[in-house]
Amino acid sequence: MALNRRDFLKSAAAASAASAVGIAVPSNLEASATEAQKDWRWDKAACRFCGTGCGIMLATKGGKIVAVKGDPAAPVNRGLNCIKGYFNAKIMYGADRLKTPLLRMNDKGEFDKHGKFKPVSWERAFDEMEKHAKKALKASGPEGVAVFASGQYTVMEGYAAQKMMKGGFRSNAIDPNARHCMASAVVGFYQTFGIDEPSGCYDDIEITDTIVTWGSNMAEMHPILWSRVSDRKLSNPDKVKIVNIQTYTHRTCDIGDINIIFSPSTDLAIWNYIAREIVMRDKKGGGKEDIIDWDFLNENIVFTAGPANIGYGMRRAGEKSLKDGKYTKLEMETISKEMEKKVSAKEGPALEPFGYKEGDVMKNTPGTLKHWHISFEDYKKSLEPYTLEYTAKIAKGDPNEDIEEFKKKLQALADLYIEKGRKVVSFWTMGMNQHTRGTWVNTLSYNVHFMLNKQALPGNGAFSLTGQPSACGTAREVGTFCHRLPADMMVKNPKHRAKTEKVWGIPAGTLNPVGNQHIMKIHRDIEDGVVKFAWVNVCNAYQDSASASHWIKAAREMDNFIVTSDGYPGISAKVSDLVLPSAMIYEKWGAYGNAERRTQHWRQQVLPVGDAMSDTWQWIEFSKRFTVKDLWGEQPLRGKDKKGNPKKLPNVIADALKMGYKEDTTMYDILFANEKAKSYKIAMDKFPQKGYDNSECNGDSRKVKGSDGKEWKGYGFMVHEYLFEEYASFGRGHGHDLAPFEVYHKVRGLKWPVVDGKETQWRFNVKYDPYAAKAAKESGSKSTHAFYGPLAKNLLQGNLTGPDKSKGKKALKNKAKIFARPYMDPPEMPDETYDTWLCTGRVLEHWHSGTMTMRVPELFRAVPEALCYMHPKDAKEKGLKRGELCWVESRRGKVKARVETRGRNRPAQGLVFVPWFDEKVFINKVCLDATCPMSKQTDYKKCAVKITKA
């Protein structure tokens, strides 16, 4: 049979994919595949999309990626990809790919904020950035220069950005879009374990007997993991149970043994109900059963509580934009609850143990991380309100479900957790993280697992699944949050700053101790006129933030300069003053860290398109524009110090001169091209560099004109290895150990800590984690676990209403914590006018804002627009039919969307779901920018809207 070229290549790809997953291939197809692939180069890489961290194989030919398949050797996905994964190559070849810098200019060729985008050179682009960054520094100090960073940065990109921002500009106004997706999980880890990142790993799926999903549509958001869950269910369908706890029915529910639809925010009550069942049925709690593992608890766990009146992470009275009248009366109806609120009948019983009752006015203090030691009896008291009757009454989310049937589901859920010998894994994603009490609900999950001794054991544990490909590896581990430094260090800690300054070779006192400009505060600071220069990196900050109309208006109309680096012209690029073309994932060397602590590296497979360059290169080139004299003099900060004087950063120029620098020494020479960096040699004749391009280090055949207007010929040293190895040095010996750079190019990732060449599957377990074994040995403990995280391990003592400072602090070395935390209403709930809950999220076929996937023809055709999923009865009552357009309107704005009453997402009456990938259905204009006040993570899962016919 004769094949044309197209069919020939398709046959080769099909045969390759089939072979990868063990499907028998016809001999003629296999022969075609062999012939087609004879001059293809295959190499491993990580998938560009979610936090699962699948391994893929890429084939290149003629300078282009021609095929993608799952990597059979990758332990995460074992040769299987999801639908997005198979199109990793096509995301790079969209018709409107950005290929040159674009600047808003007038007809004279001058920058004009109201001008049209016109192509400029890299040199001109950096000239404008330098000018406006220096202008911002002069006007507002370090807090005037900000970066919208990303959980999609490579490790090297994030580390380079952090070094220049915190070590160069002395600004902590760098915060990733990962703030939106897993900050609540992070604070939950810190508060519970004293250290970030999960204790378990994906291997739990094949070992456990029970999978419980909480606010997680794994079937679409983590489809490869869900395939493993499905396989586990099919391996023993009678024994293995799947329970889904969600606010609406979706594809994950299709194989659930129990599906619980709850009212938004009442997951707090359900977790506390399960904990109450454990405590009250246990003999020490007054029951008749031996349920709680008291030996484990007494050895490893303490009980704690914190304040309830922490607000909702919204703007507060006195902030400039509120005083300037930029918020409408309707918006202020919700925002006013940030300052105070009346305790409702729904939450009153839950708050009584904490000193509040129905009708009380709760005066809110901005979210605090403070907490204190309490007794078991106090913890038991906090659980008393969560009877089956109360929990079912407030938590039932489907008005058409019989209350008695709902109660039976809650009881069955508790029984599965409690059952002796039954292994249980609790998975969650954005439903628990994007939550105005996200930190609280994260910690409540550990309560249940701790009391049953079902945490940090094979097949047992509460496990936060990450959304983005390197939210763990870059945002968290590298520390590209405003308050963090590498390896769980914090900018506010003098010892951590001193260590970082030493590694970075910068003067003592350079680093800024104030790290409070999280991603929503950066938006608000732009609106308030404080931030005058903002750079969007590897994200779509103006599409992915709630209350989006405010931030777009501020960016376009105020005196500021907004830069976006991207592969495509998304909403953020269109909002900006300057757009920079970024190399995409396989056009550069890189590394990601996934949700199970697995670090994976890849090599540059092809040259970037046009004049695009990596974000690492952009940051390093930008650093050449700033000197010691420019940045390291005395700098102002907002606020007052303890003596009432204006806060400021000290002048460290004299100390820099003592270190051998000069006033005109650039940040490039100090941070990126120092002697240590130059020791990492280019070795194009050796593994892993041999045979692969390296545009940053060597230049390439495109002969791009660089930031100085001359042909770019490379740094002349292996900058990727330098950045990775320097970053890795922070964690080695401190529980975050990473393997050497070269090792990662030989393996399919390793789960840190990597000690003596071996990865760690279950942290804090002395059998599997060498750091736990060491901690237990040093303390003389015979326990099976050691929770060795160092943060917040010295606590005051008190009760549910507050600490008793007269008793002093108590050290809690190697202990984890159980928290007493109540159910509370979100700040905005349906009422007579806005009578419907709105929930947002993703769909299988698209990634985040759709900037990449909407440009893949196959994915676009599969899901060309965002739909408004609603219950058929709601549609009928509102005079709507399937396929018609409706308005989805909140106090903040409205969008038009097409009604869908069937299909993958099936809300109960009273709730609609609208995904956010479609910039034409700009749902984040409708969403509320309330956050968990502890983690600062936005709650996209609940606000009040009205639905009308368009």
Side-chain angles (χ1 to χ4, degrees):
M1 179 179 67
L3 292 174
N4 62 32
R5 182 180 182 278
R6 180 179 178 83
D7 290 338
F8 191 60
L9 291 172
K10 286 171 68 176
S11 296
S16 182
S19 176
V21 294
I23 298 174
V25 180
S27 57
N28 65 326
L29 194 61
E30 190 170 12
S32 298
T34 302
E35 177 64 23
Q37 295 181 42
K38 67 180 182 182
D39 54 354
W40 291 5
R41 181 187 70 185
W42 288 96
D43 195 26
K44 73 176 184 71
C47 178
R48 173 61 180 81
F49 298 110
C50 77
T52 300
C54 293
I56 62 172
M57 296 296 291
L58 298 169
T60 54
K61 178 183 178 181
K64 191 170 182 177
I65 298 174
V66 295
V68 180
K69 64 182 179 181
D71 184 354
V76 171
N77 54 310
R78 305 162 187 179
L80 186 64
N81 283 349
C82 78
I83 187 64
K84 292 189 297 295
Y86 286 114
F87 291 105
N88 265 288
K90 282 199 173 184
I91 62 173
M92 297 163 54
Y93 301 124
D96 59 344
R97 180 75 191 274
L98 294 169
K99 297 179 180 179
T100 188
L102 301 170
L103 177 68
R104 290 186 183 273
M105 293 192 288
N106 58 26
D107 293 337
K108 297 178 182 178
E110 301 164 330
F111 166 67
D112 183 343
K113 195 168 182 71
H114 303 290
K116 300 290 185 182
F117 282 119
K118 297 179 182 179
V120 294
S121 66
W122 278 109
E123 183 179 25
R124 174 69 188 280
F126 281 111
D127 286 346
E128 292 291 341
M129 290 174 68
E130 176 189 349
K131 179 172 71 175
H132 289 281
K134 287 178 176 176
K135 179 181 175 183
L137 288 165
K138 186 175 181 180
S140 301
E143 292 166 316
V145 175
V147 175
F148 293 105
S150 180
Q152 297 164 64
Y153 270 146
T154 67
V155 168
M156 297 76 156
E157 288 168 344
Y159 187 65
Q162 171 165 239
K163 284 192 82 174
M164 183 58 200
M165 279 297 288
K166 295 177 181 176
F169 289 127
R170 310 176 78 182
S171 172
N172 292 325
I174 174 172
D175 210 59
N177 63 348
R179 175 75 68 175
H180 292 316
C181 80
M182 30 48 63
S184 296
V186 172
V187 181
F189 282 124
Y190 279 152
Q191 294 227 312
T192 302
F193 300 99
I195 194 170
D196 193 13
E197 305 258 3
S199 56
C201 60
Y202 299 159
D203 296 342
D204 287 326
I205 295 171
E206 282 76 30
I207 301 170
T208 194
D209 307 312
T210 319
I211 295 98
V212 186
T213 70
W214 293 78
S216 176
N217 186 0
M218 285 180 72
E220 293 203 49
M221 306 313 125
H222 297 87
I224 297 303
L225 294 183
W226 193 243
S227 73
R228 291 175 61 171
V229 170
S230 302
D231 187 60
R232 175 62 183 138
K233 171 66 176 174
L234 293 171
S235 71
N236 192 344
D238 293 331
K239 173 70 173 178
V240 176
K241 301 298 180 184
I242 295 176
V243 183
N244 300 300
I245 305 168
Q246 319 290 346
T247 58
Y248 63 95
T249 302
H250 45 59
R251 284 176 171 174
T252 299
C253 301
D254 291 348
I255 62 169
D257 294 283
I258 303 172
N259 293 315
I260 296 173
I261 304 301
F262 69 93
S263 178
S265 269
T266 60
D267 44 358
L268 292 154
I270 296 172
W271 275 118
N272 277 324
Y273 161 73
I274 299 168
R276 186 186 188 278
E277 286 290 293
I278 292 168
V279 169
M280 302 303 178
R281 285 164 55 178
D282 186 79
K283 287 179 179 177
K284 287 192 178 181
K288 299 179 180 179
E289 302 175 62
D290 290 314
I291 294 176
I292 297 174
D293 189 328
W294 284 103
D295 290 339
F296 174 80
L297 244 59
N298 291 333
E299 184 72 30
N300 298 292
I301 308 296
V302 296
F303 296 92
T304 52
N309 60 328
I310 59 176
Y312 298 100
M314 296 182 286
R315 279 194 174 276
R316 293 192 61 80
E319 292 185 8
K320 189 176 186 302
S321 290
L322 293 187
K323 291 193 294 183
D324 289 349
K326 293 183 179 180
Y327 289 76
T328 66
K329 184 179 179 180
L330 280 173
E331 288 177 293
M332 291 306 299
E333 289 177 2
T334 301
I335 293 172
S336 65
K337 295 177 185 176
E338 176 62 26
M339 279 57 79
E340 63 177 45
K341 59 161 286 179
K342 184 177 285 188
V343 175
S344 74
K346 186 175 182 179
E347 65 192 348
L351 285 167
E352 281 190 19
F354 296 82
Y356 299 93
K357 62 182 184 300
E358 179 187 348
D360 285 353
V361 175
M362 179 183 283
K363 302 281 187 179
N364 290 325
T365 301
T368 175
L369 301 177
K370 292 180 180 177
H371 53 281
W372 48 87
H373 189 285
I374 62 171
S375 67
F376 169 70
E377 289 304 317
D378 280 326
Y379 176 64
K380 178 183 174 183
K381 181 181 177 182
S382 78
L383 298 176
E384 287 174 358
Y386 301 98
T387 62
L388 181 60
E389 288 70 24
Y390 171 68
T391 304
K393 179 182 178 182
I394 69 169
K396 186 170 77 73
D398 181 352
N400 298 316
E401 184 174 13
D402 180 77
I403 189 74
E404 295 304 320
E405 290 301 311
F406 188 75
K407 287 179 182 178
K408 289 178 183 177
K409 291 179 181 180
L410 293 180
Q411 288 176 309
L413 172 66
D415 288 343
L416 284 172
Y417 273 103
I418 291 170
E419 183 182 327
K420 290 285 186 182
R422 172 171 286 276
K423 297 183 177 71
V424 185
V425 174
S426 303
F427 283 123
W428 67 91
T429 321
M430 298 308 122
M432 274 175 50
N433 291 344
Q434 292 174 345
H435 197 308
T436 52
R437 290 294 181 267
T439 299
W440 286 9
V441 74
N442 268 262
T443 59
L444 293 181
S445 69
Y446 301 115
N447 293 359
V448 167
H449 282 268
F450 281 150
M451 287 192 288
L452 301 169
N453 191 7
K454 293 184 179 183
Q455 180 68 31
L457 289 166
N460 276 310
F463 196 126
S464 167
L465 292 171
T466 314
Q468 296 189 83
S470 203
C472 292
T474 306
R476 293 158 76 170
E477 294 158 28
V478 171
T480 55
F481 283 88
C482 65
H483 63 292
R484 289 180 70 161
L485 294 166
D488 276 344
M489 296 195 299
M490 303 292 167
V491 298
K492 71 177 182 180
N493 187 313
K495 292 181 180 179
H496 294 176
R497 295 197 305 275
K499 177 178 179 178
T500 304
E501 286 162 346
K502 183 177 180 181
V503 173
W504 288 356
I506 60 180
T510 301
L511 293 179
N512 183 349
V514 181
N516 60 14
Q517 286 176 280
H518 56 86
I519 202 162
M520 291 313 303
K521 184 163 177 55
I522 292 173
H523 277 305
R524 294 167 187 168
D525 279 349
I526 293 172
E527 189 177 46
D528 288 348
V530 175
V531 169
K532 305 257 182 207
F533 178 95
W535 191 357
V536 180
N537 285 184
V538 206
C539 68
N540 198 349
Y542 285 92
Q543 186 176 340
D544 71 21
S545 296
S547 296
S549 296
H550 277 278
W551 323 130
I552 290 174
K553 184 176 182 180
R556 292 305 310 132
E557 297 181 6
M558 297 187 69
D559 179 21
N560 53 46
F561 191 77
I562 311 296
V563 184
T564 290
S565 295
D566 205 340
Y568 291 103
I571 285 180
S572 295
K574 295 167 188 174
V575 166
S576 297
D577 302 300
L578 174 66
V579 180
L580 303 179
S582 285
M584 293 183 70
I585 179 167
Y586 310 119
E587 298 169 340
K588 58 193 176 186
W589 291 65
Y592 279 164
N594 79 346
E596 64 166 350
R597 296 173 279 109
R598 181 180 299 277
T599 308
Q600 303 183 80
H601 284 232
W602 67 89
R603 297 180 280 200
Q604 182 177 340
Q605 301 297 315
V606 292
L607 298 183
V609 302
D611 287 345
M613 294 295 285
S614 74
D615 291 70
T616 301
W617 181 87
Q618 292 174 34
W619 272 105
I620 296 175
E621 291 304 290
F622 195 38
S623 74
K624 293 177 178 179
R625 300 299 185 105
F626 299 90
T627 66
V628 167
K629 185 177 181 180
D630 291 332
L631 303 181
W632 286 357
E634 185 177 283
Q635 298 286 352
L637 298 175
R638 284 177 287 184
K640 305 285 186 180
D641 63 20
K642 292 180 180 178
K643 296 181 180 179
N645 299 316
K647 282 186 179 179
K648 58 187 178 182
L649 296 174
N651 186 324
V652 295
I653 293 176
D655 291 329
L657 299 180
K658 291 177 183 176
M659 296 173 72
Y661 304 133
K662 299 177 181 178
E663 287 193 350
D664 63 352
T665 303
T666 68
M667 293 299 116
Y668 168 73
D669 293 313
I670 296 170
L671 299 175
F672 300 111
N674 49 60
E675 290 305 311
K676 180 169 58 175
K678 292 176 181 177
S679 70
Y680 291 90
K681 303 298 184 182
I682 298 293
M684 297 305 295
D685 59 337
K686 295 180 181 179
F687 180 86
Q689 299 178 45
K690 185 177 181 180
Y692 288 84
D693 288 304
N694 194 329
S695 295
E696 296 94 328
C697 301
N698 298 329
D700 60 52
S701 59
R702 295 175 301 153
K703 301 185 184 299
V704 172
K705 295 291 191 298
S707 66
D708 58 0
K710 300 175 183 177
E711 180 185 332
W712 175 249
K713 295 186 177 180
Y715 294 117
F717 58 93
M718 188 57 177
V719 69
H720 314 291
E721 185 173 9
Y722 159 62
L723 291 170
F724 179 79
E725 286 295 334
E726 184 178 272
Y727 147 65
S729 71
F730 284 97
R732 289 172 179 151
H734 302 283
H736 290 78
D737 306 63
L738 295 169
F741 178 85
E742 184 175 319
V743 168
Y744 286 108
H745 288 282
K746 297 177 180 178
V747 299
R748 265 57 175 183
L750 294 169
K751 296 185 287 286
W752 62 263
V754 181
V755 179
D756 296 329
K758 297 178 181 179
E759 63 180 2
T760 299
Q761 291 173 287
W762 291 278
R763 295 171 84 198
F764 314 122
N765 187 314
V766 298
K767 183 177 179 180
Y768 301 98
D769 182 348
Y771 280 94
K774 179 182 178 183
K777 183 178 180 180
E778 289 176 350
S779 66
S781 171
K782 301 295 184 183
S783 175
T784 55
H785 292 74
F787 298 101
Y788 51 80
L791 297 176
K793 290 294 184 76
N794 198 22
L795 298 183
L796 290 169
Q797 300 174 66
N799 57 33
L800 293 174
T801 59
D804 184 348
K805 295 182 180 179
S806 67
K807 292 185 178 180
K809 291 187 174 183
K810 184 176 180 180
L812 307 169
K813 189 174 183 180
N814 292 339
K815 303 278 189 181
K817 301 167 196 165
I818 284 176
F819 280 89
R821 277 165 170 165
Y823 163 76
M824 285 187 71
D825 294 338
E828 189 171 273
M829 303 171 73
D831 56 24
E832 290 184 2
T833 304
Y834 300 95
D835 60 354
T836 301
W837 288 108
L838 168 67
C839 179
T840 65
R842 294 199 283 117
V843 294
L844 170 65
E845 292 83 355
H846 290 295
W847 171 247
H848 278 204
S849 60
T851 314
M852 295 181 290
T853 52
M854 287 288 272
R855 287 165 170 84
V856 176
E858 293 86 347
L859 299 177
F860 175 79
R861 286 196 297 268
V863 183
E865 63 180 325
L867 303 172
C868 179
Y869 294 88
M870 68 172 64
H871 194 280
K873 288 184 179 180
D874 280 345
K876 185 176 181 179
E877 288 175 5
K878 298 176 189 300
L880 295 165
K881 294 180 180 178
R882 181 174 182 250
E884 291 184 340
L885 292 173
C886 70
W887 286 107
V888 182
E889 182 176 356
S890 73
R891 291 171 172 84
R892 291 153 295 282
K894 64 181 183 178
V895 297
K896 198 181 291 185
R898 199 171 305 281
V899 173
E900 178 56 272
T901 57
R902 305 179 194 168
R904 64 177 78 191
N905 299 308
R906 306 177 290 283
Q909 282 189 268
L911 183 145
V912 296
F913 173 80
V914 183
W916 66 280
F917 67 85
D918 186 354
E919 65 178 53
K920 293 178 181 177
V921 184
F922 195 171
I923 197 63
N924 278 332
K925 294 195 298 185
V926 177
C927 293
L928 174 65
D929 64 316
T931 73
C932 167
M934 301 171 76
S935 70
K936 320 302 182 191
Q937 179 168 354
T938 311
D939 188 340
Y940 297 92
K941 299 302 182 185
K942 58 193 80 75
C943 70
V945 298
K946 59 183 176 183
I947 310 295
T948 55
K949 195 164 187 173

